[in-house]
Structures are given as structure tokens and as C-alpha cells.
Amino acid sequence: MRAASNPPEGKNALLRGLPSIEQLLRRPSLESRLANLPHARAVAALRLAVERVRSRLLAGDLRPFEDADVEAALASLATPNLRPVINATGVVLHTNLGRAPLAPEAVERVVAVARGYSNLEYDLDEGERGSRYAPLIGHLRTLTGAEDAIVVNNCAGAVLLILAALASGRECIVSRGELVEIGGGFRIPDVMRQSGAKLVEVGTTNRTRRADYANALSPDTGLIVKVHRSNFALVGFTEEASLAELTELGRSRNVPVFQDLGSGALVPLSGPGLTPEPTVGQAIRDGADVVAFSGDKLLGGPQAGVIVGRADLLQRIKSHPLTRALRVDKMTVAALEATLELYRDGRPDAVPTQSLLTQQPALLQSRAERLAALLAARGVVGKVVSVDGQVGGGAMPLARLPSYACSLTVEAPKVFLDRLREGEVPVIGRIADDEVVLDVRCLSEEDLGQVAQAVAAAQSGSQP
């Protein structure tokens, strides 16, 4: 009676009564369940179960400790924290979902080198130490027209390394309209400060001319920097100096020009809703001395920061101490080499990012209709609707990709999305106009059945 009339005391009693790990290891009802597990895993699961119950008691949920809590903890430990999800958002390069999916050829190459030893830094022809970048440099030179190349862990790292190697302690001239935030709170001015370079802002937010750069040049200028505004667009009363204008200016004053290209398109992209995107090769042809770009955006490879450009400048970059701190591992090299080979062989459509971005609306509509049919077979009404998808990953901000989706009318859309996300195979969708929207752009044929099954399970679970 006292516990019922005084909930805090009941909570305290439940907290004091939480079993110890030793008690749980000897509990008969759990003995058979834990007997075949490694002792360390069993102990970890029991600790997790006790901590979860303690947390819910402190939050006011007065359910006592039960064997089911141990089962839930064991299931959590058996589920990898990093695991595949199904992307039904319509965003192709979804940063939160790992950006570019790899081509099968790249996946196979990664598995092959990860399984055992490899010649990562061993020259099989000479029988001596080699360079981990050797498998990539030839492809990057051929595909971009640059004299030399190197690859680091991501594009922000590439920018940091370039600035530190070529302009530490010296001035870097950048347009105010290109001082972008690249995501996660990281801003170009912050990266410059970390590199030791001195930022010199020129022009205004919306208009920067060649003369602005020319007037800012001084004996202390180390680099002219042009940043591709890949994650936002500047429209209206605008003006900017072209890369070709800046390289002509830089050469007249013997100052290198660095283009932070970001999105990393190796070939022109054309498809419904896509907007023009400069390619790396065009930047080299326009005279850029150094170009940096991402491996896991429009290129469609693994996370990497690729640097290409003049041989003398690349040599300075390669010899900088930060190069070792930012170097890539064997799996990145393997995945990027296999991806670059597809471009070399004239098969960019074999790169999933390329094919996902260039799909025709009629194909997507047919896929959405198949998903709706699979849902109907499970008693779920899915309405086929036209939607706009996005490129994502800070690329082509003005692009609106015409796509199709199945729209679900449910009582609590947020709760329904949570159920989809918490399923055995997590499905990530979105909410629009108070309905759950499942865009089919990034769904494979195999995904359609899994999505239909997940939706049916979520609907069943949401019913009283």
C-alpha cells in the first residue's frame, strides 16, 4: 500500500532491488540462454540490461527488471551499430546515409584487399617499397589532364593540406561570396586559420570581379583561391571572376591558383532536373594549378579528398608532414581505383551515383507502381505521387530531380517513420504534407519487397 501511495519510494525500492551481474549469471531462467555465449558477451549484455532498466526507472517508468530485458540487450549486442539501411528519401548523396553507394566492382576490390595482405606500399615489379598512391595517380592524370595527383581522407583534409603546404604564413585571396560552410559547422575561413594561411577577403557577397583579386595581390600572396559554391547558389544581381580569368591573373604575377571544386564530377552529367556542374578536367584546362575534390560525391567512389595539378606543387604537397596524417588506407585505395577504372573504360553509367541521378521519370513511376502493388498485396494503401528528389552531398543545390514515390496516409507520421527506422532492415523515408513519403529513386528491385514488408510491419505495430 505504501509503495502505491508513494511512487518515489516504489521507484527507490525497484532501484535497490536491481540484480547484480553475478546474480543474473546464476539465475536459472537465464542459464540456458547464456550458457553458449562467450562469457564477456554475456556479462556485457547483462550490464546493458541493468543499465537500461535503471534509466527507465529513473525516468519514471516503474516496470521491474525482467528476463525480457536481457533478451533485448542480447539482440542489441548482436546488431552492428553500422549497418545497411534502405534509402527512401529521394536524396542520392545523403551524407547521413553514407553518401555514394559503391559499384559492385569497387566492393569486390575492397573485399579482396581487406581479406589478407596486399602490395599497398610494395612495388611488385622492383621488389622494394612503393607508393600507396601509385594505383591511382595514372588514372587521375588520364581522366583529368593533370600532371600529378595524391589522395587524402576527405576534401576538407585536402584543402587543409594544400593551404598548409603552399600558403602557410602567407596570404590567400578569396571572394567573400565563396566563404562557404562545408557542413557540420566547418567553414573555409576556419580551415584556412588551421593551415596557417592568412585570409584576404575581396569583393562583396554577390559581386566579385577580377580587379578585386588584382588589387589584393601583394608580395605576401601565396595563393589565389576559388571555391565552387556547390552547397548553395547565388542568384540575382551577381558577378564573379571566372577560373580562366584568375589563372591568367595568377600567371601574370607568378601566383598559383587553387580551385576547391568540391563535388568532383569527372564527366558531364545530364538528366532530368540536373543542373550544369563543372568537371575536374575543365578546371585543369582552364588553368587551375591545383584542384581538390571529393571522392564520394558526384565521382561516386569512397570517401576521399583528391588533389590534382602541377607536378611541382604536388611534390610540395606530398612532402608536407600533414600528408601522412591524412593518408588513406588500403580499402579506400582499392575502392577508388576500381571506380576510376570504370570511368577509364568509358562506363560511367556503371557507377551507381551516375545511374541513380540520370534515371528517367517513366522508369521511376513504374517502380513506384510496383511498390504500391506490393503494399496492396499486404493490405496497405500506397498512393503513387510525383515528387522532387535531390542530389545531396552539397552538390547541385538548385537541381530538383523529378521522381515518384508511394505516399502513405497514417495517423501519426512521425511515429510511423520511427517504426520503419527501427525495423530489422531500417527504412529511411520522409514526411511531406503530413504523409509518409517513400521515394523510389534509390530503391533497387530487391529493396521494394523489403520496404513493403517493413511498411506492413510498421502499420501492424501502430494498430491498437
Side-chain angles (χ1 to χ4, degrees):
M1 293 293 294
R2 187 177 177 184
S5 62
N6 192 342
E9 185 174 331
K11 177 171 69 176
N12 291 336
L14 289 170
L15 287 168
R16 288 193 300 271
L18 285 174
S20 69
I21 303 304
E22 288 301 321
Q23 288 173 329
L24 290 172
L25 287 170
R26 296 194 299 269
R27 181 177 287 189
S29 58
L30 295 174
E31 185 176 1
S32 61
R33 183 68 180 88
L34 302 177
N36 295 325
L37 295 176
H39 180 73
R41 186 190 298 181
V43 170
L46 295 176
R47 285 175 177 162
L48 176 61
V50 172
E51 286 306 311
R52 284 178 170 178
V53 175
R54 179 179 286 111
S55 295
R56 81 179 181 220
L57 290 173
L58 291 173
D61 184 343
L62 301 188
R63 288 175 295 158
F65 188 98
E66 297 177 345
D67 288 358
D69 294 306
V70 177
E71 289 293 341
L74 286 169
S76 293
L77 292 184
T79 303
N81 288 316
L82 180 61
R83 55 194 174 118
V85 304
I86 293 177
N87 178 8
T89 66
V91 181
V92 176
L93 298 174
H94 200 305
T95 299
N96 302 140
L97 304 185
R99 286 193 182 162
L102 294 178
E105 292 86 346
V107 174
E108 292 169 7
R109 197 75 59 85
V110 170
V111 171
V113 300
R115 185 176 285 123
Y117 297 104
S118 67
N119 62 322
L120 179 64
E121 289 192 356
Y122 186 77
D123 189 322
L124 293 175
D125 292 329
E126 301 296 331
E128 58 187 29
R129 182 168 182 165
S131 168
R132 69 178 57 211
Y133 310 109
L136 307 173
I137 292 174
H139 294 319
L140 288 168
R141 290 174 60 188
T142 299
L143 291 167
T144 67
E147 295 176 357
D148 201 0
I150 189 173
V151 178
V152 294
N153 60 349
N154 65 11
C155 196
V159 173
L160 176 66
L161 176 58
I162 291 166
L163 296 174
L166 303 182
S168 181
R170 304 190 68 189
E171 295 176 350
C172 289
I173 303 174
V174 188
S175 166
R176 286 187 174 90
E178 296 175 0
L179 293 175
V180 302
E181 181 174 307
I182 56 179
F186 297 97
R187 298 174 174 180
I188 289 294
D190 298 333
V191 175
M192 283 197 171
R193 278 191 289 271
Q194 289 297 317
S195 73
K198 301 173 185 177
L199 172 63
V200 176
E201 301 178 29
V202 297
T204 63
T205 301
N206 60 319
R207 293 174 73 85
T208 305
R209 303 175 180 87
R210 179 188 185 278
D212 295 316
Y213 294 89
N215 293 335
L217 286 170
S218 77
D220 198 33
T221 302
L223 282 175
I224 296 173
V225 180
K226 186 164 183 60
V227 181
H228 178 44
R229 291 188 294 266
S230 57
N231 61 0
F232 80 103
L234 205 59
V235 297
F237 187 59
T238 65
E239 183 179 350
E240 66 177 290
S242 69
L243 178 59
E245 288 180 285
L246 296 182
T247 57
E248 184 275 330
L249 173 63
R251 285 171 182 165
S252 71
R253 302 287 290 271
N254 198 29
V255 176
V257 175
F258 162 41
Q259 166 82 78
D260 176 6
L261 200 53
S263 56
L266 289 182
V267 297
L269 270 168
S270 61
L274 294 175
T275 55
E277 185 74 9
T279 65
V280 181
Q282 186 61 54
I284 294 294
R285 289 191 293 275
D286 284 345
D289 299 289
V290 181
V291 180
F293 55 96
S294 294
D296 58 345
K297 292 186 179 180
L298 295 181
L299 192 153
Q303 176 181 299
V306 185
I307 305 171
V308 298
R310 276 171 38 190
D312 60 325
L313 300 180
L314 263 292
Q315 187 53 49
R316 289 169 58 185
I317 292 168
K318 290 179 181 181
S319 62
H320 193 278
L322 271 178
T323 298
R324 183 172 180 85
L326 298 173
R327 71 181 184 178
V328 291
D329 71 342
K330 61 184 179 183
M331 290 176 283
T332 300
V333 173
L336 186 54
E337 180 186 23
T339 304
L340 293 175
E341 286 173 358
L342 295 173
Y343 286 97
R344 177 203 64 189
D345 296 342
R347 300 176 56 211
D349 56 331
V351 177
T353 296
Q354 299 278 324
S355 59
L356 290 172
L357 289 173
T358 57
Q359 296 175 94
Q360 295 299 314
L363 176 67
L364 296 168
Q365 182 178 7
S366 176
R367 189 179 303 155
E369 290 169 351
R370 288 197 296 278
L371 176 57
L374 289 170
L375 290 170
R378 291 166 172 80
V380 179
V381 177
K383 180 175 59 177
V384 175
V385 296
S386 61
V387 294
D388 286 335
Q390 298 178 35
V391 175
M396 298 185 184
L398 294 180
R400 292 294 176 266
L401 311 181
S403 186
Y404 283 85
C406 277
S407 180
L408 309 174
T409 302
V410 295
E411 185 174 342
K414 176 62 169 62
V415 173
F416 198 89
L417 273 188
D418 290 344
R419 291 183 180 276
L420 289 177
R421 190 188 69 248
E422 294 164 359
E424 183 177 349
V425 178
V427 176
I428 314 299
R430 59 187 175 89
I431 297 173
D433 299 326
D434 293 325
E435 294 195 337
V436 172
V437 175
L438 304 173
D439 192 313
V440 301
R441 175 173 292 275
C442 300
L443 302 185
S444 67
E445 290 300 318
E446 180 184 356
D447 290 338
L448 296 181
Q450 295 186 13
V451 170
Q453 184 175 345
V455 168
Q459 186 178 68
S460 176
S462 64
Q463 292 173 349

